[in-house]
Amino acid sequence: MNYGNIKECDIANGPGVRVSLFVSGCRHHCKGCFNAETWDFAYGSPFTEETMEALLEALRPDYIQGFTLLGGEPFEPENQQVLVNVLRRIRETYPGKNIWCYTGYLYDVDLIPGGKVFTDVTEEMLSYVDVLVDGPFVEAEKDLTLVFRGSRNQRILDLRQVRENG
């Protein structure tokens, strides 16, 4: 898996100061995408063990509230195979930090058994995510007043609450 960028001091993609990983590869190709260069799975740099260690180090300071995973598209099946391990390591190392993830896929359609991008690791991946922002960016529904999402169709789902309520 490749990644396009790591932001070590991100305040735009979740609450507080965060570390964000922008993965490469996305099949949505949303019109008006702010990160279209990451559509290409070959864009950026290979994600290596050194990259993982750098992420963990960036997350170490107490002022870092959490980790955000976005792209590109984290839930492309090719990316899930690497990212499940990334999320597991972050959750094990920093259980008190929250994890947000952005996806253009729909939680209750595409990420369920039989869904478009459901794989053998999708449920485990989701088990580490506290908040999922789902749905494709729709330029016609773009709204700059929205917090932590780009268009009105996108949802902010508290997966902790979903898991607690079954």
Side-chain angles (χ1 to χ4, degrees):
M1 180 190 82
N2 280 9
Y3 69 98
N5 192 14
I6 294 173
K7 289 190 178 179
E8 294 186 6
C9 195
D10 188 355
I11 58 169
N13 296 299
V17 180
R18 319 183 62 72
V19 174
S20 295
L21 172 65
F22 293 77
V23 301
S24 296
C26 182
R27 294 183 175 94
H28 299 295
H29 297 190
C30 301
K31 183 180 179 186
C33 175
F34 80 99
N35 213 9
E37 63 274 8
T38 64
W39 294 351
D40 182 353
F41 283 85
Y43 176 78
S45 304
F47 190 91
T48 64
E49 182 58 31
E50 290 77 22
T51 312
M52 183 73 238
E53 293 304 321
L55 270 181
L56 292 174
E57 184 59 30
L59 283 161
R60 180 182 309 277
D62 289 339
Y63 66 85
I64 299 292
Q65 186 169 336
F67 174 72
T68 299
L69 182 57
L70 60 171
E73 174 55 65
F75 281 97
E76 294 295 3
E78 301 90 327
N79 290 339
Q80 289 186 46
Q81 300 304 317
V82 172
L83 293 174
V84 69
N85 296 313
V86 171
L87 293 173
R88 184 184 308 119
R89 293 265 312 269
I90 291 170
R91 179 61 74 211
E92 289 170 352
T93 307
Y94 300 110
K97 296 192 188 267
N98 62 58
I99 297 175
W100 280 49
C101 181
Y102 285 76
T103 180
Y105 291 109
L106 295 175
Y107 173 72
D108 49 357
V109 176
D110 302 310
L111 303 179
I112 59 171
K116 186 175 185 177
V117 291
F118 186 84
T119 73
D120 60 329
V121 298
T122 304
E123 288 177 330
E124 183 181 357
M125 234 178 111
L126 289 167
S127 76
Y128 302 124
V129 174
D130 297 304
V131 175
L132 184 73
V133 181
D134 81 340
F137 172 74
V138 176
E139 193 170 48
E141 296 190 42
K142 180 178 180 177
D143 183 343
L144 297 177
T145 67
L146 297 171
V147 178
F148 304 134
R149 54 196 179 120
S151 57
R152 289 183 299 276
N153 64 295
Q154 294 173 314
R155 304 181 294 181
I156 299 175
L157 304 172
D158 184 340
L159 295 188
R160 296 165 299 193
Q161 189 173 39
V162 170
R163 287 190 287 272
E164 289 172 10
N165 295 332

mmCIF file with all atom_site columns, all heavy atoms in Angstrom, residues 55-67:
data_model
loop_
_atom_site.group_PDB
_atom_site.id
_atom_site.type_symbol
_atom_site.label_atom_id
_atom_site.label_alt_id
_atom_site.label_comp_id
_atom_site.label_asym_id
_atom_site.label_entity_id
_atom_site.label_seq_id
_atom_site.pdbx_PDB_ins_code
_atom_site.Cartn_x
_atom_site.Cartn_y
_atom_site.Cartn_z
_atom_site.occupancy
_atom_site.B_iso_or_equiv
_atom_site.pdbx_formal_charge
_atom_site.auth_seq_id
_atom_site.auth_comp_id
_atom_site.auth_asym_id
_atom_site.auth_atom_id
_atom_site.pdbx_PDB_model_num
ATOM 1   N N   . LEU A 1 55 ? 4.548   6.926  12.530 1.00 0.00 ? 55 LEU A N   1
ATOM 2   C CA  . LEU A 1 55 ? 3.178   7.233  12.955 1.00 0.00 ? 55 LEU A CA  1
ATOM 3   C C   . LEU A 1 55 ? 3.038   7.094  14.465 1.00 0.00 ? 55 LEU A C   1
ATOM 4   O O   . LEU A 1 55 ? 2.471   7.967  15.135 1.00 0.00 ? 55 LEU A O   1
ATOM 5   C CB  . LEU A 1 55 ? 2.179   6.279  12.289 1.00 0.00 ? 55 LEU A CB  1
ATOM 6   C CG  . LEU A 1 55 ? 1.572   6.643  10.967 1.00 0.00 ? 55 LEU A CG  1
ATOM 7   C CD1 . LEU A 1 55 ? 0.594   5.564  10.531 1.00 0.00 ? 55 LEU A CD1 1
ATOM 8   C CD2 . LEU A 1 55 ? 0.899   7.987  11.008 1.00 0.00 ? 55 LEU A CD2 1
ATOM 9   N N   . LEU A 1 56 ? 3.531   5.982  14.998 1.00 0.00 ? 56 LEU A N   1
ATOM 10  C CA  . LEU A 1 56 ? 3.425   5.753  16.439 1.00 0.00 ? 56 LEU A CA  1
ATOM 11  C C   . LEU A 1 56 ? 4.162   6.830  17.224 1.00 0.00 ? 56 LEU A C   1
ATOM 12  O O   . LEU A 1 56 ? 3.669   7.297  18.261 1.00 0.00 ? 56 LEU A O   1
ATOM 13  C CB  . LEU A 1 56 ? 3.948   4.358  16.790 1.00 0.00 ? 56 LEU A CB  1
ATOM 14  C CG  . LEU A 1 56 ? 3.095   3.193  16.285 1.00 0.00 ? 56 LEU A CG  1
ATOM 15  C CD1 . LEU A 1 56 ? 3.800   1.867  16.567 1.00 0.00 ? 56 LEU A CD1 1
ATOM 16  C CD2 . LEU A 1 56 ? 1.703   3.204  16.890 1.00 0.00 ? 56 LEU A CD2 1
ATOM 17  N N   . GLU A 1 57 ? 5.311   7.248  16.745 1.00 0.00 ? 57 GLU A N   1
ATOM 18  C CA  . GLU A 1 57 ? 6.074   8.300  17.412 1.00 0.00 ? 57 GLU A CA  1
ATOM 19  C C   . GLU A 1 57 ? 5.317   9.634  17.349 1.00 0.00 ? 57 GLU A C   1
ATOM 20  O O   . GLU A 1 57 ? 5.272   10.382 18.329 1.00 0.00 ? 57 GLU A O   1
ATOM 21  C CB  . GLU A 1 57 ? 7.462   8.430  16.798 1.00 0.00 ? 57 GLU A CB  1
ATOM 22  C CG  . GLU A 1 57 ? 8.357   9.426  17.490 1.00 0.00 ? 57 GLU A CG  1
ATOM 23  C CD  . GLU A 1 57 ? 8.614   9.125  18.966 1.00 0.00 ? 57 GLU A CD  1
ATOM 24  O OE1 . GLU A 1 57 ? 8.619   7.936  19.357 1.00 0.00 ? 57 GLU A OE1 1
ATOM 25  O OE2 . GLU A 1 57 ? 8.789   10.090 19.738 1.00 0.00 ? 57 GLU A OE2 1
ATOM 26  N N   . ALA A 1 58 ? 4.726   9.927  16.195 1.00 0.00 ? 58 ALA A N   1
ATOM 27  C CA  . ALA A 1 58 ? 3.973   11.180 16.046 1.00 0.00 ? 58 ALA A CA  1
ATOM 28  C C   . ALA A 1 58 ? 2.762   11.221 16.969 1.00 0.00 ? 58 ALA A C   1
ATOM 29  O O   . ALA A 1 58 ? 2.336   12.288 17.413 1.00 0.00 ? 58 ALA A O   1
ATOM 30  C CB  . ALA A 1 58 ? 3.537   11.356 14.591 1.00 0.00 ? 58 ALA A CB  1
ATOM 31  N N   . LEU A 1 59 ? 2.199   10.050 17.284 1.00 0.00 ? 59 LEU A N   1
ATOM 32  C CA  . LEU A 1 59 ? 1.033   9.968  18.158 1.00 0.00 ? 59 LEU A CA  1
ATOM 33  C C   . LEU A 1 59 ? 1.392   10.051 19.646 1.00 0.00 ? 59 LEU A C   1
ATOM 34  O O   . LEU A 1 59 ? 0.510   10.231 20.487 1.00 0.00 ? 59 LEU A O   1
ATOM 35  C CB  . LEU A 1 59 ? 0.279   8.656  17.905 1.00 0.00 ? 59 LEU A CB  1
ATOM 36  C CG  . LEU A 1 59 ? -0.577  8.627  16.646 1.00 0.00 ? 59 LEU A CG  1
ATOM 37  C CD1 . LEU A 1 59 ? -0.886  7.192  16.231 1.00 0.00 ? 59 LEU A CD1 1
ATOM 38  C CD2 . LEU A 1 59 ? -1.862  9.415  16.854 1.00 0.00 ? 59 LEU A CD2 1
ATOM 39  N N   . ARG A 1 60 ? 2.649   9.942  19.986 1.00 0.00 ? 60 ARG A N   1
ATOM 40  C CA  . ARG A 1 60 ? 3.093   9.855  21.380 1.00 0.00 ? 60 ARG A CA  1
ATOM 41  C C   . ARG A 1 60 ? 2.724   11.059 22.256 1.00 0.00 ? 60 ARG A C   1
ATOM 42  O O   . ARG A 1 60 ? 2.266   10.883 23.379 1.00 0.00 ? 60 ARG A O   1
ATOM 43  C CB  . ARG A 1 60 ? 4.599   9.626  21.434 1.00 0.00 ? 60 ARG A CB  1
ATOM 44  C CG  . ARG A 1 60 ? 5.148   9.518  22.851 1.00 0.00 ? 60 ARG A CG  1
ATOM 45  C CD  . ARG A 1 60 ? 6.655   9.341  22.900 1.00 0.00 ? 60 ARG A CD  1
ATOM 46  N NE  . ARG A 1 60 ? 7.151   8.280  22.059 1.00 0.00 ? 60 ARG A NE  1
ATOM 47  C CZ  . ARG A 1 60 ? 7.184   6.985  22.388 1.00 0.00 ? 60 ARG A CZ  1
ATOM 48  N NH1 . ARG A 1 60 ? 6.730   6.616  23.557 1.00 0.00 ? 60 ARG A NH1 1
ATOM 49  N NH2 . ARG A 1 60 ? 7.661   6.094  21.548 1.00 0.00 ? 60 ARG A NH2 1
ATOM 50  N N   . PRO A 1 61 ? 2.882   12.310 21.804 1.00 0.00 ? 61 PRO A N   1
ATOM 51  C CA  . PRO A 1 61 ? 2.636   13.449 22.712 1.00 0.00 ? 61 PRO A CA  1
ATOM 52  C C   . PRO A 1 61 ? 1.214   13.460 23.283 1.00 0.00 ? 61 PRO A C   1
ATOM 53  O O   . PRO A 1 61 ? 0.253   13.100 22.599 1.00 0.00 ? 61 PRO A O   1
ATOM 54  C CB  . PRO A 1 61 ? 2.867   14.673 21.818 1.00 0.00 ? 61 PRO A CB  1
ATOM 55  C CG  . PRO A 1 61 ? 3.767   14.187 20.734 1.00 0.00 ? 61 PRO A CG  1
ATOM 56  C CD  . PRO A 1 61 ? 3.361   12.761 20.490 1.00 0.00 ? 61 PRO A CD  1
ATOM 57  N N   . ASP A 1 62 ? 1.105   13.889 24.531 1.00 0.00 ? 62 ASP A N   1
ATOM 58  C CA  . ASP A 1 62 ? -0.193  13.934 25.207 1.00 0.00 ? 62 ASP A CA  1
ATOM 59  C C   . ASP A 1 62 ? -1.182  14.867 24.520 1.00 0.00 ? 62 ASP A C   1
ATOM 60  O O   . ASP A 1 62 ? -2.393  14.665 24.613 1.00 0.00 ? 62 ASP A O   1
ATOM 61  C CB  . ASP A 1 62 ? -0.011  14.375 26.665 1.00 0.00 ? 62 ASP A CB  1
ATOM 62  C CG  . ASP A 1 62 ? 0.664   13.303 27.506 1.00 0.00 ? 62 ASP A CG  1
ATOM 63  O OD1 . ASP A 1 62 ? 0.639   12.118 27.111 1.00 0.00 ? 62 ASP A OD1 1
ATOM 64  O OD2 . ASP A 1 62 ? 1.217   13.661 28.561 1.00 0.00 ? 62 ASP A OD2 1
ATOM 65  N N   . TYR A 1 63 ? -0.678  15.925 23.856 1.00 0.00 ? 63 TYR A N   1
ATOM 66  C CA  . TYR A 1 63 ? -1.594  16.867 23.207 1.00 0.00 ? 63 TYR A CA  1
ATOM 67  C C   . TYR A 1 63 ? -2.237  16.300 21.931 1.00 0.00 ? 63 TYR A C   1
ATOM 68  O O   . TYR A 1 63 ? -3.170  16.880 21.402 1.00 0.00 ? 63 TYR A O   1
ATOM 69  C CB  . TYR A 1 63 ? -0.910  18.199 22.905 1.00 0.00 ? 63 TYR A CB  1
ATOM 70  C CG  . TYR A 1 63 ? 0.201   18.130 21.878 1.00 0.00 ? 63 TYR A CG  1
ATOM 71  C CD1 . TYR A 1 63 ? -0.079  18.203 20.514 1.00 0.00 ? 63 TYR A CD1 1
ATOM 72  C CD2 . TYR A 1 63 ? 1.534   17.993 22.275 1.00 0.00 ? 63 TYR A CD2 1
ATOM 73  C CE1 . TYR A 1 63 ? 0.939   18.127 19.575 1.00 0.00 ? 63 TYR A CE1 1
ATOM 74  C CE2 . TYR A 1 63 ? 2.551   17.925 21.344 1.00 0.00 ? 63 TYR A CE2 1
ATOM 75  C CZ  . TYR A 1 63 ? 2.247   17.987 19.989 1.00 0.00 ? 63 TYR A CZ  1
ATOM 76  O OH  . TYR A 1 63 ? 3.256   17.910 19.069 1.00 0.00 ? 63 TYR A OH  1
ATOM 77  N N   . ILE A 1 64 ? -1.745  15.184 21.442 1.00 0.00 ? 64 ILE A N   1
ATOM 78  C CA  . ILE A 1 64 ? -2.355  14.545 20.268 1.00 0.00 ? 64 ILE A CA  1
ATOM 79  C C   . ILE A 1 64 ? -3.575  13.763 20.747 1.00 0.00 ? 64 ILE A C   1
ATOM 80  O O   . ILE A 1 64 ? -3.454  12.808 21.515 1.00 0.00 ? 64 ILE A O   1
ATOM 81  C CB  . ILE A 1 64 ? -1.364  13.602 19.544 1.00 0.00 ? 64 ILE A CB  1
ATOM 82  C CG1 . ILE A 1 64 ? -0.135  14.378 19.040 1.00 0.00 ? 64 ILE A CG1 1
ATOM 83  C CG2 . ILE A 1 64 ? -2.067  12.857 18.414 1.00 0.00 ? 64 ILE A CG2 1
ATOM 84  C CD1 . ILE A 1 64 ? -0.417  15.361 17.926 1.00 0.00 ? 64 ILE A CD1 1
ATOM 85  N N   . GLN A 1 65 ? -4.746  14.180 20.288 1.00 0.00 ? 65 GLN A N   1
ATOM 86  C CA  . GLN A 1 65 ? -5.995  13.556 20.742 1.00 0.00 ? 65 GLN A CA  1
ATOM 87  C C   . GLN A 1 65 ? -6.272  12.240 20.043 1.00 0.00 ? 65 GLN A C   1
ATOM 88  O O   . GLN A 1 65 ? -6.899  11.354 20.612 1.00 0.00 ? 65 GLN A O   1
ATOM 89  C CB  . GLN A 1 65 ? -7.165  14.514 20.533 1.00 0.00 ? 65 GLN A CB  1
ATOM 90  C CG  . GLN A 1 65 ? -8.467  13.984 21.108 1.00 0.00 ? 65 GLN A CG  1
ATOM 91  C CD  . GLN A 1 65 ? -9.547  15.036 21.140 1.00 0.00 ? 65 GLN A CD  1
ATOM 92  O OE1 . GLN A 1 65 ? -9.277  16.238 21.156 1.00 0.00 ? 65 GLN A OE1 1
ATOM 93  N NE2 . GLN A 1 65 ? -10.787 14.600 21.145 1.00 0.00 ? 65 GLN A NE2 1
ATOM 94  N N   . GLY A 1 66 ? -5.832  12.124 18.779 1.00 0.00 ? 66 GLY A N   1
ATOM 95  C CA  . GLY A 1 66 ? -6.161  10.893 18.087 1.00 0.00 ? 66 GLY A CA  1
ATOM 96  C C   . GLY A 1 66 ? -5.545  10.788 16.716 1.00 0.00 ? 66 GLY A C   1
ATOM 97  O O   . GLY A 1 66 ? -4.679  11.579 16.320 1.00 0.00 ? 66 GLY A O   1
ATOM 98  N N   . PHE A 1 67 ? -6.018  9.791  15.994 1.00 0.00 ? 67 PHE A N   1
ATOM 99  C CA  . PHE A 1 67 ? -5.526  9.422  14.672 1.00 0.00 ? 67 PHE A CA  1
ATOM 100 C C   . PHE A 1 67 ? -6.685  9.454  13.694 1.00 0.00 ? 67 PHE A C   1
ATOM 101 O O   . PHE A 1 67 ? -7.797  9.022  14.025 1.00 0.00 ? 67 PHE A O   1
ATOM 102 C CB  . PHE A 1 67 ? -4.936  8.008  14.729 1.00 0.00 ? 67 PHE A CB  1
ATOM 103 C CG  . PHE A 1 67 ? -4.512  7.457  13.398 1.00 0.00 ? 67 PHE A CG  1
ATOM 104 C CD1 . PHE A 1 67 ? -3.386  7.952  12.760 1.00 0.00 ? 67 PHE A CD1 1
ATOM 105 C CD2 . PHE A 1 67 ? -5.234  6.441  12.793 1.00 0.00 ? 67 PHE A CD2 1
ATOM 106 C CE1 . PHE A 1 67 ? -2.986  7.437  11.531 1.00 0.00 ? 67 PHE A CE1 1
ATOM 107 C CE2 . PHE A 1 67 ? -4.840  5.920  11.563 1.00 0.00 ? 67 PHE A CE2 1
ATOM 108 C CZ  . PHE A 1 67 ? -3.709  6.418  10.936 1.00 0.00 ? 67 PHE A CZ  1
#
